[in-house]
Amino acid sequence: MKKAVMRIVYLGYYFKELDWEKYRHFIRHVNKETNISEPALLWKSISNSLLYNISLLEYFQFHFYRKTKEEKEKWAGTGYMYEFQRVMNPIFSRDILDDKRLFFQRYRKFFVHEVYSDKEFYEDPQIFEKLKNAVSGKIVIKASDGKCGAQVKILKTEDLTHEKVISQLKEDKYDMVEEFIIQHPELSRLAPKGVNTVRIFTQLNEKDQVEILGCRQRLSVFSNVDNLAAGNIAASVDESTGKINGPGVYSDISKEPETIHPVSGVKIIDFQIPFWKECLALAKEAALFDKTNRSIGWDIVVTESGPGLIEGNHDWCKLVWQLPVDKGMKSRLQAYWDQFQKAG
């Protein structure tokens, strides 16, 4: 009974937060692809949300309209992830990951770039001078609680002053200033529009050992950020070699996967991510640094001098995890959940 009630509560949340334009776009696309009527697709997305603990959009993003019941059971949707991540990453311990300023202070040793709070920036003009004189010619301002690449702005330092940056921070209601990162030339060759991060998912098992749930290379297409939500692509990475082993996929189901990057023309599959062993070592060390959060998606930037952390996500994305491999992997998580309950 409680399970059924929670599914109805989730459904109400999905409708409240729904991107209606995207939802209608998905319905029209699948209608043309399958000849399933639009009213039928509306009903199927609702009923599948209740049955499989997924959001309305995930019915389309997981391609449930062409999957069997057995296949659908394998996918981890928003409802399931919310419940799993609440257990693995308790509410009381999440602040360190939710607030990018706190995250930098706690995990500073893993960073390769400087991060400042708005207060630090306001009070110390030397910070601006240091950032302005950097080789990149850019600085980044953002919101400390921003999600999915939103609330981020890149400013060219030419003609900027300390006062102009402060004015922009206040206008946008942002509270962080960062050094702009120059990524490794190989990653710029592959995806030149933005800084492209590796997402490595780590999980602590019942013995507090780090296990890798998956590795993905996020690639900007026409955006300064590399998030799927901003229209970009993500590709699966072979954990043992650091080579991309699948096409770049969009979260927009109307777009086909990319084997060649649409901007650079560089082949995506078999691309070797630089400093791969160091990337894995960084994610594992960070996962053990604070064990109160046990399941984290780490965003790692790779520079010419090696990798560094950008952020850690307690509510890491099930789309980035599952879509690039076109496979539902809920059973991987359920095994840890079962271990956790047995140990507790």
Side-chain angles (χ1 to χ4, degrees), residues 8 99 132 177 196 265 307 315 333:
I8 294 170
D99 188 320
K132 184 175 181 178
V177 182
N196 307 283
D315 53 352
L333 304 185

Side-chain angles (χ1 to χ4, degrees), residues 215-234:
C215 309
R216 309 288 180 258
Q217 177 65 57
R218 305 195 304 174
L219 297 171
S220 59
V221 180
F222 298 106
S223 173
N224 288 327
V225 297
D226 59 2
N227 303 75
L228 279 183
N232 298 300
I233 56 180

Side-chain angles (χ1 to χ4, degrees), residues 11-50:
L11 183 60
Y13 172 80
Y14 301 145
F15 270 114
K16 178 177 177 291
E17 299 295 322
L18 185 58
D19 182 335
W20 286 96
E21 183 179 351
K22 184 180 290 185
Y23 188 49
R24 287 190 290 266
H25 169 60
F26 285 177
I27 287 175
R28 288 193 296 267
H29 175 77
V30 176
N31 166 247
K32 290 178 182 177
E33 181 182 306
T34 65
N35 287 322
I36 301 172
S37 72
E38 293 186 11
L41 288 168
L42 173 65
W43 168 245
K44 286 175 181 289
S45 65
I46 294 171
S47 61
N48 277 244
S49 174
L50 294 169

Side-chain angles (χ1 to χ4, degrees), residues 173-193:
K173 297 182 180 178
Y174 291 172
D175 54 8
M176 289 180 64
V177 182
E178 293 188 4
E179 175 186 359
F180 182 85
I181 302 170
I182 300 177
Q183 67 183 344
H184 195 284
E186 274 296 283
L187 287 165
S188 290
R189 182 175 70 87
L190 175 59
K193 291 292 182 179

Side-chain angles (χ1 to χ4, degrees), residues 168-313:
Q168 191 69 59
L169 284 165
K170 291 180 177 178
E171 179 183 334
D172 293 328
K173 297 182 180 178
Y174 291 172
D175 54 8
M176 289 180 64
V177 182
E178 293 188 4
E179 175 186 359
F180 182 85
I181 302 170
I182 300 177
Q183 67 183 344
H184 195 284
E186 274 296 283
L187 287 165
S188 290
R189 182 175 70 87
L190 175 59
K193 291 292 182 179
V195 175
N196 307 283
T197 57
V198 179
R199 169 69 63 88
I200 298 180
F201 305 96
T202 62
Q203 174 72 45
L204 298 182
N205 63 23
E206 77 279 11
K207 297 179 181 178
D208 283 347
Q209 298 166 326
V210 182
E211 297 185 11
I212 303 296
L213 296 175
C215 309
R216 309 288 180 258
Q217 177 65 57
R218 305 195 304 174
L219 297 171
S220 59
V221 180
F222 298 106
S223 173
N224 288 327
V225 297
D226 59 2
N227 303 75
L228 279 183
N232 298 300
I233 56 180
S236 176
V237 179
D238 186 317
E239 180 187 339
S240 62
T241 65
K243 286 187 176 183
I244 296 177
N245 59 2
V249 301
Y250 297 93
S251 61
D252 183 344
I253 62 170
S254 67
K255 295 182 178 181
E256 293 295 321
E258 307 279 9
T259 56
I260 304 294
H261 193 280
V263 174
S264 68
V266 174
K267 184 182 176 185
I268 294 173
I269 298 174
D270 289 332
F271 178 88
Q272 177 66 58
I273 298 169
F275 290 105
W276 181 246
K277 289 182 180 179
E278 291 83 354
C279 287
L280 280 178
L282 173 59
K284 291 177 180 178
E285 186 179 354
L288 291 170
F289 189 68
D290 183 346
K291 299 175 188 175
T292 55
N293 293 297
R294 306 182 65 80
S295 188
I296 300 178
W298 303 100
D299 290 341
I300 297 172
V301 64
V302 184
T303 70
E304 277 195 286
S305 58
L309 278 188
I310 296 291
E311 62 185 39
N313 301 274

